[in-house]
């Protein structure tokens, strides 16, 4: 028999692999469904790719890859027998439990026993070889089988990869000197102290200086002022401002020239008013909870409808999502998305096509994993009511065990959060940020095909007015969500709030117990009014005055989306950097009419601002003593000579160094390679400020340049050095207001799109700090209109009348803690989705929601 098995496996031996370090063995869940070894058909693990497949999907993998040998895993689960005293009989260790699996059931392991079964199956004849079978199988097969059986689950937390460089503790951390200069860093509104940069900002841990870094290939960066500050002061350590979390922050040592660890980072940040310890919260029962839960008890009860006998519902569309530990933000967002017909059609309606054309590793394919979760939620296959016999037995035992299990989003979460510093962690996250992240991924993965996120997309018209000249500019951009402010001053119970605040301060001074908190009640009309009011534009540059001036901005809808997403701005930062949630209730209506917020465009009597952009401001040391720009721009001559020694023309080298911002010979070399074929490649460097003004110079005083000019050459150089065509790079920069990060997103979502000769250039007078609309996909395509062809983002314009169909609620004091649930209106009734539990809602708490979803009403 041994010889027979050996001969049977000989043709397949080259395809049987032993898992190596780094190989993930998917033996707990199917790549296409939520089948597991506990499912009726068990799970088939490919002995070459180590991917797992349920019974109905394993044949597809065999046909696509030709892999014939699979390990079939089956776990038999049954309730323990009870003794005469009614207690459970301890499970006998019979050696049959050998699968290193995470249980997919929601039961107490002490009340159940299980037995594992494994065998090799050879396709297409389904020949089975029971395991273990050491004597009869070839040694290689035995070793491979043992390795698969003993391998950890693919999604168990892995140790850091061996190739990852370990970050070392800085030698300056222990003895870092911090100046007692009274500097306190606010939680927002940062700007480089030497330029206008508002991104890639670094806080020097010695003197509290906030300065910008350098440009990087990912589009982030600045003008190198942080490094320049170190060279002037020798203050060695800096922390990147937007990376500060309760778990740490990104610290860089200029002296050591590498990222470092600072064990005393909390103490160093507190010197500047940033209290990391107060940001830290505890965890409990899979939900990130507050240290001081008393003020939020009623909120938890109301939103979860605690104390009510909620009726569980089952079937298609009523499947819950398991909480993987602070993953409720993901579950609620996906429940809402898959209640929208466009997402259902895209991923569930095209299920077989998506599966048939999925890549060899479907666990890494976005469409496949979206289809898998969508099918799991909508098929009803994983939401079946208990059998009558089970209910009768439970009644006899005077116990009722929750039958709803839900589906696990582990595979999708691992894919969509990969590389993201927040979503890849096990910490609680902001559901709104995750919604925008998913929309971004849907956009990226829908190029050239149906895009279900079209239903959220709309055009925003922004009207910016110069307060001094009264001239205006109208621009348009794409957005996906409205952020409504919550004006506390408009609360209907304002006197009660003032009395509570006075009492709270009084008891704090006397160290007594705090009073019962009072929830602000704000009319929805007040939120809408605050949204429509003009807002000041920081650092506004008026093209009419050719100088900075006061400016105001108003935003209106240039188009209305098919599905309107409305977020209440409940979260803010305290002066101590601790994220806090405003305790408020808003009477959000079931029906909403926004028709009066339709944009009107340029009105009669309004005068437009000139189409000019601010002049290029060079560093002070490049200006002459008379305050005029020098005709000799600063160029790193050492970098120029390094390039010239390679044989490139000297003038070309000078241009390369200048247009890449003196960032070094490597970046300049990339610029040279990208521009070698241009006819003026070796021509002398010529800048706008070096050109004698022509007859029209009076129309552009103070060095202002027309908007129709090409984007900055250094930005084009960065994109072309990454391999993108020059014309495509210019088009992307023009469409995104010369923002490199947005241009990268634009390129990925507009592959091989031809440049439109009649495209309207877009450039705002400034880059306002937009707080009214979100910028979900970082796209600022301003040339869009409802009539634009399908090569650009599609707009589904229509009436501005809507009906509420879903809302996501948050419980807790901040986005870093608490729990999310969602309510969705289905078949005329409200349903609450609380992790894996799905029940009919008795009192949907519409006034306590965080994100609201409306669908457009038909024009009839």
């Amino acid at each position: 028999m041994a010889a027979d098995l050996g001969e049977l496996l000989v043709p397949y031996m080259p395809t049987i692999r032993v898992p190596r370090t780094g190989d993930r063995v998917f033996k707990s869940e199917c790549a296409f469904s939520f089948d597991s070894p506990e499912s009726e058909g068990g799970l088939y693990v490919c002995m070459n790719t180590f991917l797992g497949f349920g019974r109905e999907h394993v044949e597809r993998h065999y046909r696509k890859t030709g892999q014939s040998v699979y390990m079939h895993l089956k776990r038999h689960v049954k309730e323990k027998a009870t003794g005469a005293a009614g207690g459970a009989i301890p499970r006998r260790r019979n050696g049959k439990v050998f699968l290193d699996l995470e249980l997919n059931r929601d039961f107490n392991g002490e009340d159940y026993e299980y037995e594992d079964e494994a065998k090799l199956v050879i396709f297409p004849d389904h020949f089975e070889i029971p395991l273990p079978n050491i004597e009869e199988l070839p040694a290689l097969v035995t070793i491979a089988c043992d390795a698969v059986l003993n391998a950890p689950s693919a999604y168990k937390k892995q140790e850091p990869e061996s190739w990852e460089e370990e970050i070392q503790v800085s030698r300056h951390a222990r003895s870092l000197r911090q100046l007692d200069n009274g500097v306190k860093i606010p939680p927002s509104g940062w700007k480089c102290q030497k330029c206008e940069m508002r991104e890639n900002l670094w806080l020097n841990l010695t003197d509290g200086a906030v300065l910008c870094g350098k440009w990087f290939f990912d589009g982030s960066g600045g003008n190198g002022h942080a490094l320049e500050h170190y060279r002037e002061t020798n203050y060695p350590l800096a922390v990147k401002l937007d990376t500060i979390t309760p778990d740490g922050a990104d610290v860089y040592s200029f002296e050591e020239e590498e990222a470092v660890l600072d064990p005393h980072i909390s103490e160093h940040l507190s010197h500047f008013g940033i209290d990391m310890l107060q940001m830290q919260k505890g965890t409990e029962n899979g939900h990130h909870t507050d240290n001081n839960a008393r003020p939020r008890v009623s909120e938890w009860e109301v939103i979860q409808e605690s104390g009510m006998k909620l009726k569980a519902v089952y079937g298609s569309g009523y499947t819950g999502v398991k909480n993987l530990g602070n993953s409720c933000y993901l579950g609620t967002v996906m429940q809402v998305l898959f209640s929208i017909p466009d997402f259902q059609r895209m991923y569930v309606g095209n299920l077989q096509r998506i599966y048939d054309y999925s890549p060899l590793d479907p666990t890494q394919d976005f469409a496949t994993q979206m289809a898998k979760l969508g099918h799991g939620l909508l098929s009803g296959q994983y939401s079946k009511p208990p059998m009558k016999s089970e209910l009768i037995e439970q009644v006899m035992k005077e116990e009722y065990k929750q039958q709803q299990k839900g589906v696990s989003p582990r595979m999708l979460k691992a894919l969509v959060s990969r590389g993201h510093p927040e979503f890849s962690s096990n910490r609680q996250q902001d559901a709104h940020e995750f919604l925008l992240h998913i929309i971004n991924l849907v956009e990226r993965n829908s190029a050239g095909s149906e895009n279900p996120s079209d239903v959220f997309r709309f055009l925003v018209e922004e009207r910016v007015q110069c307060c001094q000249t009264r001239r205006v500019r109208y621009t348009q951009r794409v957005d996906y969500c409205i952020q409504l402010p919550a004006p506390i001053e408009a609360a209907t119970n304002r006197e009660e709030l003032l009395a509570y605040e006075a009492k709270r301060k009084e008891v704090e001074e006397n160290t007594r117990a705090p009073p019962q908190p009072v929830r602000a009640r704000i009319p929805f009309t007040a939120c809408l009014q605050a949204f429509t009011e003009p807002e000041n534009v920081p650092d506004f540059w008026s093209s009419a005055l050719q100088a900075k001036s006061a400016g105001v901005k108003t935003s209106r809808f240039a188009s209305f989306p098919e599905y309107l997403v409305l977020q209440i701005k409940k979260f803010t930062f305290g002066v101590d950097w601790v994220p806090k949630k405003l305790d408020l209730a808003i009477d959000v209506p079931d029906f909403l009419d926004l028709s009066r917020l339709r944009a009107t465009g340029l009105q009669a009597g309004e005068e437009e601002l000139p189409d000019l952009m601010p002049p290029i401001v060079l560093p002070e040391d490049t200006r002459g003593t008379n305050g005029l720009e020098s005709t000799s721009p600063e160029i790193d001559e050492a970098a120029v000579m390094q390039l010239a020694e390679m044989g490139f023309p000297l003038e070309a080298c000078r241009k390369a160094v200048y247009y890449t911002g003196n960032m070094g010979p490597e970046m300049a070399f990339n610029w040279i390679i990208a521009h070698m074929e241009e006819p003026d490649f070796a021509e002398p460097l010529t800048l706008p400020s070096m050109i004698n003004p022509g007859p029209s110079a009076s129309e552009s005083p103070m060095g202002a340049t027309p908007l129709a000019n090409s984007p900055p050459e250094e930005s084009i150089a960065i994109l072309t050095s990454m391999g993108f065509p020059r014309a495509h790079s210019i088009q992307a920069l023009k469409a995104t207001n010369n923002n490199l990060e947005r241009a990268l997103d634009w390129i990925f979502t507009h592959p091989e799109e031809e440049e439109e000769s009649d495209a309207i250039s877009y450039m705002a007078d400034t880059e306002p700090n937009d707080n009214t609309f979100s910028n979900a996909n970082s796209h600022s395509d301003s040339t869009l209109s409802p009539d634009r062809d399908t090569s650009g983002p599609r707009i589904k314009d229509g009436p501005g009348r809507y009906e509420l169909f879903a809302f996501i609620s948050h419980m807790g004091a901040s986005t870093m803690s608490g729990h999310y649930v969602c309510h969705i209106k289905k078949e005329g009734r409200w349903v609450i989705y609380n992790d894996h539990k799905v029940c009919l809602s008795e009192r949907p708490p519409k006034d306590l929601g965080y994100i609201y979803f409306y669908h457009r009403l038909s024009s009839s």
Side-chain angles (χ1 to χ4, degrees):
M1 182 64 179
D4 293 341
L5 286 180
E7 292 177 3
L8 178 66
L9 289 169
V10 165
Y12 311 107
M13 292 291 286
T15 66
I16 298 177
R17 293 177 51 226
V18 178
R20 299 189 298 267
T21 302
D23 282 340
R24 294 188 301 170
V25 180
F26 293 86
K27 61 180 186 178
S28 60
E29 187 176 283
C30 172
F32 293 108
S33 70
F34 295 96
D35 288 346
S36 72
E38 298 171 24
S39 302
E40 182 179 352
L43 191 73
Y44 295 81
V45 178
C46 174
M47 292 301 292
N48 181 269
T49 64
F50 310 117
L51 294 170
F53 303 96
R55 176 188 291 170
E56 64 176 302
H57 299 290
V58 64
E59 291 276 1
R60 176 188 290 106
H61 186 258
Y62 161 70
R63 292 193 303 269
K64 179 178 291 188
T65 65
Q67 300 296 335
S68 299
V69 183
Y70 296 80
M71 180 181 291
H72 181 250
L73 304 176
K74 183 73 177 76
R75 170 163 284 180
H76 304 276
V77 183
K78 60 182 179 180
E79 192 171 0
K80 287 182 180 178
T82 55
I89 300 175
R91 188 186 67 192
R92 292 173 295 179
R93 297 191 175 278
N94 53 15
K96 288 284 189 176
V97 181
F98 48 75
L99 298 183
D100 180 18
L101 298 177
E102 297 175 6
L103 294 179
N104 288 327
R105 292 177 174 262
D106 210 7
F107 51 59
N108 184 346
E110 296 299 322
D111 297 333
Y112 290 80
E113 59 183 358
Y114 42 90
E115 185 176 287
D116 296 335
E117 176 187 358
K119 52 192 174 186
L120 285 181
V121 180
I122 303 176
F123 282 75
D125 299 324
H126 292 266
F127 186 86
E128 298 181 354
I129 304 174
L131 296 175
N133 205 334
I134 300 175
E135 296 81 6
E136 301 181 9
L137 293 177
L140 174 64
V141 177
T142 300
I143 295 172
C145 292
D146 288 343
V148 169
L149 290 172
N150 294 316
S153 174
Y155 291 111
K156 282 192 175 180
K157 189 172 183 179
Q158 302 291 321
E159 294 297 322
E161 297 291 345
S162 58
W163 54 265
E164 290 185 355
E165 183 178 357
E166 184 177 356
I167 300 178
Q168 302 296 324
V169 174
S170 171
R171 58 171 167 264
H172 301 287
R174 181 184 295 273
S175 58
L176 183 69
R177 182 168 67 98
Q178 293 190 284
L179 303 184
D180 190 11
N181 54 10
V183 173
K184 298 298 178 184
I185 306 299
S188 60
W190 316 305
K191 184 171 68 173
C192 176
Q193 295 176 4
K194 294 188 178 182
C195 67
E196 302 297 313
M197 291 298 301
R198 295 179 180 271
E199 59 183 12
N200 192 26
L201 297 178
W202 294 77
L203 168 67
N204 190 287
L205 291 175
T206 295
D207 63 356
V210 176
L211 300 160
C212 60
K214 295 184 68 176
W215 279 111
F216 298 108
F217 282 106
D218 63 357
S220 62
N223 297 314
H225 288 136
L227 177 59
E228 180 181 303
H229 184 68
Y230 161 71
R231 290 170 177 166
E232 296 172 354
T233 62
N234 286 326
Y235 298 155
L237 298 185
V239 59
K240 193 172 184 183
L241 279 175
D242 59 359
T243 66
I244 300 172
T245 70
D247 301 315
D250 292 350
V251 181
Y252 187 82
S253 173
F254 295 108
E255 193 270 336
E256 295 161 281
E257 296 185 340
E258 64 179 351
V260 295
L261 294 177
D262 180 2
H264 309 284
I265 185 64
S266 178
E267 176 185 344
H268 292 156
L269 289 174
S270 66
H271 181 81
F272 300 109
I274 304 172
D275 194 341
M276 292 177 62
L277 295 179
Q278 290 297 322
M279 298 168 69
Q280 184 64 53
K281 305 291 181 181
T283 58
E284 181 181 350
N285 296 330
H287 307 312
H288 225 122
T289 59
D290 310 328
N291 291 332
N292 183 11
R294 184 172 177 266
R296 299 294 167 180
V297 170
S298 61
E299 182 183 55
W300 285 72
E301 291 177 348
V302 173
I303 291 178
Q304 294 188 107
E305 304 186 51
S306 301
M308 299 182 184
K309 293 184 178 180
L310 301 180
K311 179 182 178 181
V313 286
Y314 304 88
S316 175
Y318 299 110
T319 303
V321 177
K322 290 182 181 178
N323 194 326
L324 304 176
N326 294 321
S327 68
C328 50
Y329 65 91
L330 180 149
T332 54
V333 168
M334 301 314 296
Q335 289 282 14
V336 174
L337 289 182
F338 278 110
S339 68
I340 296 175
D342 296 73
F343 280 83
Q344 296 174 359
R345 285 194 302 269
M346 174 64 185
Y347 296 111
V348 183
N350 295 322
L351 184 79
Q352 291 304 320
R353 182 182 63 82
I354 292 174
Y355 283 2
D356 288 341
Y357 290 95
S358 64
L360 293 180
D361 186 356
T363 67
Q364 302 303 304
D365 182 58
F366 180 76
T368 299
Q369 293 310 311
M370 286 288 284
K372 170 183 172 179
L373 181 61
H375 178 262
L377 295 177
L378 300 176
S379 65
Q381 185 176 340
Y382 306 98
S383 178
K384 297 178 179 179
M387 303 293 290
K388 286 186 178 180
S389 58
E390 295 176 352
L391 290 174
I392 294 174
E393 183 180 355
Q394 290 173 13
V395 171
M396 295 296 292
K397 292 182 178 181
E398 297 183 351
E399 64 178 11
Y400 177 72
K401 297 180 180 178
Q402 181 59 260
Q403 296 296 321
Q404 294 171 306
K405 302 298 186 297
V407 294
S408 170
R410 190 180 304 275
M411 202 169 284
L412 177 70
K413 182 180 185 297
L415 177 62
V416 302
S417 64
R418 185 177 57 198
H420 194 285
E422 293 300 326
F423 299 135
S424 60
S425 72
N426 289 325
R427 298 187 297 269
Q428 185 62 279
Q429 304 299 333
D430 185 359
H432 176 250
E433 291 183 5
F434 183 74
L435 170 64
L436 301 184
H437 178 64
I438 285 293
I439 290 176
N440 190 9
L441 291 175
V442 171
E443 292 274 1
R444 287 172 178 255
N445 289 274
S446 299
S449 63
E450 180 185 357
N451 185 349
S453 66
D454 287 348
V455 298
F456 298 125
R457 192 183 301 111
F458 59 95
L459 286 172
V460 180
E461 179 188 270
E462 291 184 345
R463 177 186 183 270
V464 179
Q465 183 175 40
C466 173
C467 295
Q468 190 167 344
T469 65
R470 313 303 296 176
R471 299 174 76 175
V472 298
R473 164 158 298 149
Y474 286 87
T475 56
Q476 289 187 352
R477 62 178 176 82
V478 172
D479 220 322
Y480 297 82
C481 175
I482 303 176
Q483 291 181 301
L484 277 188
I488 297 294
E489 64 276 7
T492 56
N493 58 340
R494 192 163 183 267
E495 294 183 359
E496 189 180 0
L497 290 170
L498 293 173
Y500 161 73
E501 189 63 23
K503 189 174 182 180
R504 185 186 63 81
K505 291 181 178 179
E506 177 185 347
V507 299
E508 281 183 356
E509 294 174 358
N510 300 325
T511 64
R512 296 201 305 265
Q516 188 67 25
V518 176
R519 176 170 294 128
R521 299 198 170 276
I522 304 175
F524 180 80
T525 53
C527 299
L528 207 56
Q529 178 63 32
F531 164 77
T532 59
E533 290 179 352
E535 60 178 305
N536 293 325
V537 180
D539 300 323
F540 175 73
W541 186 86
S542 171
S543 59
L545 298 173
Q546 296 291 297
K548 286 190 176 181
S549 173
V552 293
K553 181 186 72 174
T554 54
S555 300
R556 293 292 186 270
F557 290 89
S559 69
F560 286 111
E562 188 172 350
Y563 284 81
L564 178 70
V565 182
L566 191 157
Q567 179 211 13
I568 304 296
K569 297 172 69 173
K570 287 188 173 185
F571 295 99
T572 183
F573 277 95
V575 294
D576 55 0
W577 278 64
V578 177
K580 299 176 180 178
K581 187 173 81 173
L582 302 175
D583 189 9
L584 48 87
I586 300 176
D587 59 338
V588 176
D590 286 317
F591 295 92
L592 185 61
D593 190 347
L594 300 178
S595 301
R596 65 185 182 87
L597 298 183
R598 169 79 73 170
T600 57
L602 187 68
Q603 297 295 293
E606 289 184 332
E607 187 177 357
E608 288 191 275
L609 286 161
D611 284 344
L612 302 174
M613 62 182 293
I616 300 175
V617 179
L618 297 177
E620 293 182 2
D621 56 0
T622 65
R623 296 177 178 271
T625 57
N626 60 356
L628 298 177
E629 291 182 0
S630 169
T631 56
S632 300
E634 180 182 4
I635 295 178
D636 185 353
E637 295 297 340
V640 172
M641 296 311 298
Q642 288 187 49
L643 294 170
E645 290 173 358
M646 298 180 188
F648 299 116
L650 180 62
E651 290 300 330
C653 298
R654 289 175 58 81
K655 287 198 292 187
V657 172
Y658 173 78
Y659 285 129
T660 55
N662 291 313
M663 294 171 62
E666 183 177 352
M667 180 71 80
F669 176 80
N670 291 334
W671 186 95
I672 288 176
I673 297 301
H675 295 78
M676 289 183 66
E677 303 301 323
E678 296 178 5
D680 61 346
F681 174 68
E683 295 295 323
L685 173 64
T686 303
L687 302 177
S689 58
M690 299 168 60
I691 301 176
N692 293 327
S696 61
S698 60
E699 300 177 8
S700 302
M702 299 181 63
T705 55
L707 287 180
N709 281 2
S710 297
E713 192 64 34
E714 55 269 30
S715 299
I716 301 174
I718 290 174
L719 292 176
T720 54
S721 66
M722 299 172 69
F724 300 116
R726 178 177 175 83
H728 205 182
S729 301
I730 293 175
Q731 187 182 6
L733 289 165
K734 283 184 176 181
T736 58
N737 198 9
N738 295 332
N739 184 295
L740 271 174
E741 184 176 359
R742 296 177 183 175
L744 277 172
D745 274 340
W746 192 96
I747 288 173
F748 284 122
T749 55
H750 299 74
E752 301 179 359
E753 184 175 278
E754 294 297 324
E755 184 172 4
E756 299 179 17
S757 59
D758 59 344
I760 303 172
S761 297
Y762 167 65
M763 178 70 71
D765 275 332
T766 182
E767 290 188 9
N769 188 8
D770 180 22
N771 291 320
T772 303
F773 287 88
S774 72
N775 206 352
N777 205 27
S778 297
H779 293 171
S780 296
D781 304 65
S782 59
T783 60
L784 309 178
S785 70
D787 300 324
R788 181 172 175 172
D789 62 89
T790 56
S791 62
R794 293 175 289 273
I795 304 299
K796 297 186 176 182
D797 196 8
R801 297 186 299 276
Y802 295 93
E803 180 181 3
L804 180 69
F805 78 94
F807 61 95
I808 295 175
S809 305
H810 174 269
M811 296 156 282
S814 80
T815 54
M816 300 164 55
S817 63
H819 180 51
Y820 287 98
V821 302
C822 69
H823 288 72
I824 305 176
K825 195 173 186 179
K826 293 189 175 183
E827 300 176 317
R829 55 187 184 177
W830 283 98
V831 180
I832 178 173
Y833 293 79
N834 189 353
D835 291 339
H836 61 279
K837 295 176 288 186
V838 182
C839 302
L840 292 179
S841 173
E842 295 289 337
R843 296 178 184 173
K846 302 173 190 175
D847 58 337
L848 297 180
Y850 173 44
I851 309 173
Y852 295 87
F853 298 82
Y854 286 82
H855 68 81
R856 181 190 294 151
L857 292 173
S858 60
S859 56
S860 59

